[in-house]
Amino acid sequence: MAALSPWQIFTVGAIGGMAGFVGLVLAVLLGLGLYAAVARLYDALAAHCEQRRALRDGRRRLASVTTPDDLKDRP
């Protein structure tokens, strides 16, 4: 087996370094995407729980929901 020249060793190291960097960037992007998805789910769950709590307490529904009573109030 022939020994690698210093230039070949440098090239292999550079390719490995670039592959590692691309892997880290992809991991960061995946993490950010998962964080955004979890944040959206958490906000949706909080809104749903608030809606259920308002209905259970007998309060008027939240503004995001239109009821037949809301339509009757219109002129």
Side-chain angles (χ1 to χ4, degrees):
M1 182 171 180
L4 295 175
S5 70
W7 181 251
Q8 290 171 326
I9 293 172
F10 173 76
T11 303
V12 169
I15 291 171
M18 284 181 11
F21 179 74
V22 168
L24 284 175
V25 168
L26 289 176
V28 167
L29 291 176
L30 179 65
L32 288 173
L34 287 174
Y35 177 79
V38 168
R40 288 184 66 183
L41 285 174
Y42 182 80
D43 290 342
L45 179 63
H48 176 74
C49 290
E50 178 61 29
Q51 176 70 31
R52 298 284 295 169
R53 195 174 306 117
L55 291 174
R56 186 178 56 235
D57 294 344
R59 292 182 281 146
R60 187 181 169 101
R61 290 185 173 163
L62 299 178
S64 63
V65 178
T66 303
T67 64
D69 294 333
D70 295 333
L71 297 175
K72 288 179 187 176
D73 294 341
R74 289 182 157 182

